[in-house]
Amino acid sequence: MAKKSGLSVEDVADLRAQLDEGTQPMVWFTAAAVGMEEGRSAKLLAVTDPPEGDFIQVRPTGSKDEMSFGLAELTLEKPPPRKKPATPPPAPVEPPRETEVIHPYVPEAPVKPAAPKPKPAPAPAPVEQAPVKPARKPAAKSATVPEVTVTLVTTGEGEWSVEVLQGTRRAVKPTPVPPAAVAQAAKLLTPEVAEIVEGVLNAARAQQLARVEQLRAELEAAQKALEDLGA
């Protein structure tokens, strides 16, 4: 059986029923969750209406923040516990081998009479030495961190792109990013940034809704014209 990814409509209905009964079920983050580790658990707080975009509110385990996510970013499947790598047994230590030491035979030398001890010479006067100054160590050069600039650009029609500059060098060329990822990243920043991004997303939603209504009206007009022709 293929591994399930994300929440289904039936899962959301079951979670909403558990909330209505006064319980707060647990969910887990998938690999699609922006800014969250895959497999981390969270407590379900609310399921808002309408069920579009990030409409599921949770509180990650170990955090006091309340965050919103979409269907693909959460799952009901609890990840299996991570297995610790087995420690290999220590290698056996061989005891040291005893070696027999054979001493060679040395003949005894004849004993000579002891020579008279010489008189000790007078000790020389101590010479004062100048103190040696320790050499100065060169000061460690502090590593400079290059400035990084991250720019988000929108066309106003719901399309977003991100560009990264490292100093004056373009590290990442303009790359398309989904609006849901932009909205989730903005929530992790300051409230002012989140408010501006949400305003742009709302304007794009309104524009797309107006386009849908226009296409629906054109489709109805074409259908009526087709019926008038006796099709």
Side-chain angles (χ1 to χ4, degrees):
M1 181 181 293
K3 185 178 179 181
K4 183 179 178 182
S5 177
L7 296 176
S8 64
V9 178
E10 292 77 8
D11 294 336
V12 175
D14 182 62
L15 292 174
R16 192 189 299 272
Q18 294 184 49
L19 289 174
D20 294 339
E21 294 175 358
T23 61
Q24 291 181 318
M26 299 295 293
V27 293
W28 288 265
F29 294 107
T30 66
V34 179
M36 289 295 168
E37 179 183 0
E38 182 181 2
R40 182 178 179 181
S41 61
K43 182 178 292 184
L44 183 66
L45 301 179
V47 179
T48 59
D49 285 323
E52 297 178 355
D54 302 331
F55 67 99
I56 304 175
Q57 297 180 2
V58 299
R59 179 183 292 117
T61 302
S63 174
K64 297 181 179 179
D65 298 332
E66 296 182 4
M67 308 176 69
S68 299
F69 294 89
L71 293 176
E73 298 174 294
L74 301 171
T75 181
L76 293 178
E77 293 185 357
K78 182 178 180 181
R82 298 181 179 179
K83 296 182 180 180
K84 296 183 179 180
T87 305
V93 180
E94 296 183 359
R97 299 180 180 178
E98 296 182 358
T99 56
E100 181 180 359
V101 180
I102 301 176
H103 298 278
Y105 172 75
V106 179
E108 297 181 357
V111 180
K112 296 182 179 180
K117 296 182 180 180
K119 296 181 179 181
V127 179
E128 296 182 358
Q129 297 182 354
V132 179
K133 295 181 179 181
R136 293 183 179 180
K137 296 182 179 181
K141 296 182 179 180
S142 59
T144 58
V145 180
E147 181 181 357
V148 176
T149 304
V150 180
T151 304
L152 284 172
V153 180
T154 178
T155 60
E157 298 180 356
E159 297 180 356
W160 291 79
S161 64
V162 63
E163 180 182 9
V164 179
L165 296 179
Q166 191 171 13
T168 58
R169 184 179 63 86
R170 177 181 291 176
V172 178
K173 63 181 181 179
T175 304
V177 292
V182 176
Q184 187 63 41
K187 292 177 182 178
L188 300 177
L189 301 177
T190 62
E192 292 80 3
V193 175
E195 182 178 358
I196 294 174
V197 172
E198 185 64 23
V200 175
L201 291 175
N202 289 336
R205 293 190 190 101
Q207 183 178 1
Q208 294 298 331
L209 183 59
R211 184 179 178 186
V212 169
E213 294 297 334
Q214 180 182 358
L215 292 175
R216 184 180 289 114
E218 293 178 359
L219 179 60
E220 291 178 355
Q223 184 68 29
K224 186 178 183 303
L226 185 61
E227 292 175 355
D228 292 342
L229 292 174

